[in-house]
Amino acid sequence: MFNENKTKNFKPIMNMVINKIAVCIVCLFMVISSGVNAQGEQDEQRIRDFKMRLNEGVRYTSDREIKLEIRPTKLRMGLISKMKISFTSDFRSVSWTDAERDATITLPAGDGEKTVYVQLRDEAGNDSNIESSKIILDTQPPTAGNIVINEGEKVTNSKFGKVRLSIGAKGAYKMQLSNTSNFSEARWEKFTDKRNWILNTDGDGEKTVFIRFGDEANNISSIFQDDIILDTTPPEGSIMVNEGERFTTERDIKINIMSADTDVAQVRIVDGTNDEIRPFGSNSREPNLYDWTLDTLEGKKAIRVYFRDNAGNISPKPAVDEIILDTKPPEKPFIAINRGAKYATDPEGQVNISIRTRETPTGYTVRLSNDESFKTFEDLKYKAEVPGWKLDAKSDGYKTVYAKFIDQAGNVSEVGKASTSLDRKYPEAKSIKINDDAEWSHKPVVDLKIDVLGADMMQISNDSSFKTSTRWIPFQSEIKGWILTGEEGVNMVYARFRDMAGNSTTVLTDGIKLDTKPPSGRIVINKGENVVTDKEGKVVLNIIYNSYASEMQISNDSLFKTAKWQPATKEVLGWKLAGEEDGPRIVYAKFRDEAGQISAIARDRVLLDRTPPKDVQIALNKNAKYCTDDNKKVMVFFKALGAKEMKVGSSEDLSALEWIPVQATYEYTLEGEDGMKTVYAQFRDAFGNESGVVKDDIILDRTPPEPRLFVIDEGAEWTNNQDKKVALKMRADDAYQMRVDFNPDFKNSEWQKYSTSLSDYVLNGEDGTKKLYIIFRDDAGNISRALDASIKLKREF
């Protein structure tokens, strides 16, 4: 229910509101009416202003269909209803069409500048100003395109492929260059008629540069190209001077120049100060053979040739050939026959020719002849002595040998010569007699009688080598008081004879027995050895005596108390030395000739030593129990008093081994596989006395223990022991010691006796994963590979 008082108060208020609303509506209607009139005037003004653009404002187009964009500047496009588009300013025959913000129009046919005119109309029927825009229609690409590389050169040798391009085209605005016909990775650039370019340099050969052109309307021309050969490889070749001859006697020579390169254009020939460039191959009148004149200086000439190809590449190193210019003949040889002897006596007429020159005769040929005209000759490689040259030996007489030098270049010297007399008739030797052929002489002075025909000189000697008489004396048929110089017994006298040419006879001899003193002799024990080692003390006696001794006595005492005379012999076998103990011994001898003369006593000394080396011992590796060397080598230590040689082996029978010098230590390689090994040794002294065989044992053990097991706390993953103590279990074959550590290098632990378990092993560090390592060692010291085990320590939860 409403309160009546309140209702009475509400009605006046409502009436007042309604009156005010009515007033507002009247005012609003008046405003709208005036606004409509004002808006019409504004729209008519706004439609006059708009902007237009053809193909986004480009200047050229190659397509007749272009895009027309219209943008009113003061009126919304939605209020534009119609538009006219014309290509003439009077809009002849052009009707209004629906307005479009963006429209596609087709330009009139024919290239050239086109003007587009546009007028707009809004919904109220207001027409805009006429706007226009221009664009050039160009449907033809650039023409007359061309490209020339390096002004038309056929080849270039630019190592970096650099060339210069000359470019031409009609109507071109831009261009695109490429080394490939598909223009991959090529970009457009502004047209220019000159351009530096880099060719494709992946190897020599023909290179092509491709180009195409574009105008401002983006018409693209056909592709144009030009070729050039890239050649960066210098040519090579060889030369041969005078067909390979080492020498020339003429300054004018022929040079044969060769090259497998077909594009060689020129060659540069250099010889000392001479330096010329000549055409080559097809450019040359004679493609390979060149005339050349050397300078006048004698000696070795090095002809160098450089090659230049059509690309301009020049060989970095020349082809070289050498020839020696030698125009001077050798000097005349100096020769001598048998070193200048007046006579030659060889039965075949052979002589020795000596050849001398003051020059260095390297490569000289010696031409020898017995004929001054050299109708017959022999060419020999130069040497100072030519043995066995055969004279014209048809008859004895005056003979001449002729010689001349020919050097390596073929220059011939003047003729040298030497002469001698060929005399091959020998004196006739008949006899020589001592003391008229007597058998004995009691004095060393004798007389000689000689019967020889045709001798001029003679030599007499007491020995067959004539060492005691080298002097030739004038021939005599009788010599008084010749002194014999030999020992007692037969003494010989030798004689030989020669004529003035040097022809010598055979040697004449005669002998006579000389007996002026008692016999003499010597005794030698065991061929002069200083020591005798025979267990029975037996030796061999060598007896030396002169020819007069016919009997001898041998004794172990100087008084010869029990010795008897016996026929003299050269050797006594199995002679027993006196005494049973070792020590020095003497054996005596004396001799008697047929006349009863007795010699002085001869003697020889020797040491009787039958004692082998003493205190013989060996020790392997200083008495080590084991050998662990991978190569099975041990050091053998020796002790043997008086020993000079030794044998070392793996068998007690050492007879097959060679004796070697005694050494304080000796490296020996054990035989076979691991196990107990015995090494044997034997010694002997300097006199051959041998010791007994001694030995020593050692165990060869190169196999380390084989680890089988290593776990922590039976392989548990975790431990929370507050003292960080764990139990270890381990096992290894043949282990003697072991080493446990938390470092793989085991630097924090010591070796301990091997066992299969360790209790209360304390882990290192703070909580976390703990890794332990273990290795084992056997009694021989071999160390096994390492095992490892891990457990996680966690003492707090």
Side-chain angles (χ1 to χ4, degrees):
M1 290 182 66
F2 292 100
N3 189 297
E4 288 184 5
N5 294 327
K6 291 183 178 179
T7 301
K8 290 178 180 180
N9 295 329
F10 180 71
K11 286 180 179 180
I13 294 172
M14 286 297 294
N15 291 330
M16 183 179 62
V17 170
I18 290 171
N19 292 330
K20 287 185 177 181
I21 290 172
V23 172
C24 288
I25 290 172
V26 172
C27 292
L28 178 59
F29 178 77
M30 292 175 65
V31 170
I32 289 173
S33 297
S34 62
V36 169
N37 293 331
Q39 183 66 45
E41 295 176 0
Q42 289 178 356
D43 285 346
E44 184 179 359
Q45 180 63 37
R46 288 174 182 174
I47 198 170
R48 294 182 180 279
D49 298 322
F50 71 94
K51 292 182 179 180
M52 62 176 289
R53 187 170 66 167
L54 301 178
N55 267 9
E56 299 180 351
V58 298
R59 188 180 175 202
Y60 287 86
T61 179
S62 61
D63 192 347
R64 288 179 61 198
E65 288 192 356
I66 64 172
K67 183 179 179 182
L68 169 62
E69 297 175 87
I70 297 172
R71 298 292 184 268
T73 58
K74 297 180 180 180
L75 191 67
R76 288 186 299 108
M77 187 66 191
L79 298 178
I80 306 298
S81 62
K82 298 293 182 180
M83 66 185 222
K84 283 196 300 185
I85 302 172
S86 177
F87 299 105
T88 60
S89 60
D90 57 5
F91 288 88
R92 287 193 309 269
S93 303
V94 176
S95 303
W96 291 99
T97 61
D98 292 336
E100 296 181 63
R101 180 183 181 92
D102 297 317
T104 299
I105 63 174
T106 301
L107 298 174
D111 286 1
E113 187 177 66
K114 308 295 180 180
T115 304
V116 180
Y117 300 88
V118 177
Q119 187 175 28
L120 303 180
R121 175 176 289 175
D122 62 16
E123 291 180 346
N126 298 306
D127 292 339
S128 71
N129 294 329
I130 296 173
E131 294 290 338
S132 65
S133 183
K134 295 180 179 182
I135 193 167
I136 298 173
L137 175 62
D138 184 356
T139 61
Q140 299 300 316
T143 59
N146 69 85
I147 179 172
V148 178
I149 304 174
N150 280 1
E151 297 182 357
E153 292 181 357
K154 293 182 178 180
V155 66
T156 178
N157 66 349
S158 171
K159 293 189 180 300
F160 300 104
K162 290 183 177 180
V163 293
R164 182 71 171 168
L165 305 181
S166 299
I167 303 168
K170 291 183 178 180
Y173 172 73
K174 59 182 179 179
M175 62 186 181
Q176 198 176 36
L177 286 162
S178 178
N179 288 323
T180 59
S181 59
N182 60 9
F183 290 85
S184 60
E185 299 183 4
R187 60 186 180 80
W188 287 99
E189 58 185 86
K190 190 174 181 180
F191 173 82
T192 179
D193 60 352
K194 298 293 183 182
R195 175 76 153 79
N196 292 326
W197 185 250
I198 303 296
L199 300 173
N200 180 0
T201 57
D202 57 346
D204 288 357
E206 186 175 75
K207 306 296 179 179
T208 303
V209 180
F210 301 88
I211 192 169
R212 59 186 177 185
F213 304 93
D215 56 21
E216 288 188 88
N218 207 32
N219 295 298
I220 307 300
S221 73
S222 59
I223 297 173
F224 303 92
Q225 65 185 59
D226 194 19
D227 301 323
I228 194 167
I229 295 173
L230 177 63
D231 183 358
T232 62
T233 304
E236 296 180 348
S238 61
I239 70 167
M240 184 168 61
V241 178
N242 273 11
E243 298 184 352
E245 293 179 350
R246 278 190 70 205
F247 292 88
T248 178
T249 59
E250 303 291 336
R251 290 176 57 206
D252 292 330
I253 60 174
K254 295 284 187 181
I255 303 176
N256 190 5
I257 303 177
M258 295 151 284
S259 176
D261 295 312
T262 59
D263 60 343
V264 177
Q266 294 176 317
V267 290
R268 177 185 169 205
I269 307 174
V270 181
D271 162 29
T273 57
N274 295 332
D275 191 334
E276 293 184 21
I277 295 176
R278 303 259 186 107
F280 183 80
S282 60
N283 299 315
S284 172
R285 183 170 53 84
E286 293 183 273
N288 297 98
L289 199 61
Y290 297 84
D291 293 323
W292 190 260
T293 301
L294 300 172
D295 59 33
T296 58
L297 187 64
E298 300 270 315
K300 184 182 289 186
K301 305 291 184 179
I303 314 299
R304 300 184 299 279
V305 174
Y306 297 86
F307 297 83
R308 184 183 185 278
D309 61 19
N310 291 319
N313 298 299
I314 299 174
S315 55
K317 293 183 179 179
V320 181
D321 196 12
E322 295 179 343
I323 194 165
I324 298 172
L325 176 63
D326 185 355
T327 62
K328 296 179 181 178
E331 71 170 6
K332 180 173 71 175
F334 303 95
I335 73 169
I337 301 174
N338 286 347
R339 299 186 180 276
K342 293 182 179 180
Y343 295 92
T345 62
D346 183 78
E348 302 295 326
Q350 290 188 352
V351 294
N352 293 330
I353 306 295
S354 302
I355 305 172
R356 297 290 183 270
T357 176
R358 291 172 296 185
E359 298 174 330
T360 301
T362 303
Y364 277 16
T365 296
V366 180
R367 180 165 291 177
L368 290 175
S369 178
N370 293 323
D371 177 11
E372 186 175 9
S373 65
F374 286 85
K375 289 181 180 179
T376 60
F377 60 85
E378 184 174 351
D379 283 345
L380 304 170
K381 185 178 180 180
Y382 174 80
K383 50 186 176 181
E385 301 293 333
V386 179
W389 176 260
K390 194 170 182 180
L391 300 172
D392 180 4
K394 295 176 182 178
S395 62
D396 288 1
Y398 197 69
K399 307 293 178 181
T400 302
V401 178
Y402 303 88
K404 53 186 175 183
F405 287 138
I406 304 173
D407 64 19
Q408 296 178 88
N411 299 297
V412 181
S413 72
E414 295 181 15
V415 177
K417 63 182 179 178
S419 302
T420 190
S421 292
L422 179 62
D423 183 352
R424 296 170 288 183
K425 186 176 180 180
Y426 288 79
E428 183 181 353
K430 294 185 175 182
S431 66
I432 180 172
K433 295 180 180 179
I434 304 173
N435 283 355
D436 290 326
D437 268 351
E439 183 179 358
W440 294 88
S441 175
H442 298 291
K443 295 180 180 180
V445 181
V446 295
D447 295 331
L448 306 178
K449 286 187 177 179
I450 302 165
D451 186 7
V452 177
L453 298 178
D456 296 305
M457 307 292 288
M458 67 181 185
Q459 259 187 333
I460 310 297
S461 177
N462 287 321
D463 68 274
S464 60
S465 66
F466 290 84
K467 289 182 180 178
T468 59
S469 179
T470 59
R471 186 168 60 89
W472 288 90
I473 61 175
F475 174 77
Q476 304 172 45
S477 60
E478 191 172 342
I479 295 178
K480 297 287 187 180
W482 181 260
I483 300 175
L484 303 173
T485 58
E487 300 291 336
E488 296 291 289
V490 176
N491 275 238
M492 300 297 294
V493 176
Y494 304 87
R496 58 187 178 186
F497 309 88
R498 74 179 186 191
D499 59 16
M500 293 303 293
N503 296 302
S504 298
T505 66
T506 57
V507 176
L508 294 179
T509 64
D510 194 19
I512 193 169
K513 295 178 181 178
L514 182 62
D515 186 4
T516 63
K517 54 187 177 181
S520 63
R522 293 185 294 123
I523 182 172
V524 178
I525 302 172
N526 276 7
K527 296 183 179 181
E529 292 180 354
N530 294 322
V531 179
V532 172
T533 60
D534 186 77
K535 299 300 181 184
E536 297 180 5
K538 291 184 178 181
V539 296
V540 175
L541 303 179
N542 299 103
I543 314 299
I544 303 98
Y545 48 86
N546 64 12
S547 59
Y548 299 117
S550 59
E551 295 177 300
M552 67 181 184
Q553 278 185 339
I554 308 295
S555 176
N556 284 326
D557 68 89
S558 60
L559 299 178
F560 295 84
K561 291 179 181 180
T562 59
K564 295 181 180 180
W565 289 105
Q566 55 183 309
T569 61
K570 298 295 184 182
E571 189 175 61
V572 176
L573 302 175
W575 179 264
K576 192 174 188 312
L577 301 174
E580 299 299 327
E581 301 296 328
D582 288 356
R585 298 288 189 270
I586 301 176
V587 180
Y588 303 88
K590 59 184 177 180
F591 306 90
R592 184 170 66 181
D593 64 15
E594 294 177 353
Q597 297 188 81
I598 298 174
S599 71
I601 295 173
R603 70 195 67 196
D604 195 16
R605 297 174 180 271
V606 74
L607 175 65
L608 181 61
D609 184 350
R610 295 168 289 185
T611 304
K614 298 178 181 180
D615 196 14
V616 176
Q617 302 175 38
I618 69 169
L620 303 179
N621 281 358
K622 295 184 178 180
N623 288 320
K625 183 179 179 182
Y626 293 95
C627 170
T628 61
D629 184 72
D630 287 338
N631 297 316
K632 303 190 291 187
K633 295 187 181 297
V634 295
M635 294 303 298
V636 186
F637 294 83
F638 303 99
K639 182 179 180 183
L641 299 179
K644 294 295 183 182
E645 294 177 307
M646 66 181 187
K647 291 181 178 181
V648 182
S650 60
S651 172
E652 190 171 3
D653 181 7
L654 302 172
S655 59
L657 300 180
E658 297 289 335
W659 290 100
I660 61 175
V662 165
Q663 305 170 33
T665 59
Y666 178 75
E667 186 178 72
Y668 180 78
T669 302
L670 301 173
E671 298 180 3
E673 301 302 320
D674 288 3
M676 181 65 73
K677 304 294 176 183
T678 303
V679 178
Y680 300 87
Q682 187 179 17
F683 303 87
R684 73 178 181 185
D685 62 16
F687 312 121
N689 296 301
E690 298 179 4
S691 73
V693 176
V694 293
K695 66 178 182 176
D696 193 17
D697 298 324
I698 195 167
I699 299 172
L700 177 61
D701 184 354
R702 299 167 296 164
T703 306
E706 178 60 33
R708 300 293 185 184
L709 176 68
F710 181 46
V711 296
I712 304 172
D713 280 354
E714 301 291 345
E717 182 181 2
W718 298 89
T719 178
N720 58 2
N721 186 283
Q722 296 300 309
D723 296 323
K724 302 191 292 186
K725 292 181 179 181
V726 293
L728 308 180
K729 279 190 177 182
M730 63 288 290
R731 188 170 72 250
D733 297 342
D734 196 30
Y736 173 68
Q737 292 176 312
M738 63 184 185
R739 200 168 183 174
V740 182
D741 205 328
F742 48 83
N743 274 327
D745 57 7
F746 294 91
K747 63 182 181 180
N748 299 311
S749 61
E750 301 292 336
W751 288 105
Q752 57 183 301
K753 185 176 178 67
Y754 168 72
S755 66
T756 59
S757 64
L758 282 178
S759 60
D760 295 336
Y761 184 87
V762 180
L763 300 174
N764 67 305
E766 299 302 322
D767 287 4
T769 299
K770 303 299 176 181
K771 194 171 188 177
L772 298 180
Y773 302 86
I774 190 167
I775 54 175
F776 303 92
R777 183 166 70 179
D778 61 17
D779 191 29
N782 297 300
I783 298 174
S784 75
R785 59 187 173 85
L787 293 182
D788 61 74
S790 299
I791 194 168
K792 296 177 181 177
L793 174 63
K794 188 172 184 181
R795 294 172 291 174
E796 296 180 3
F797 293 90

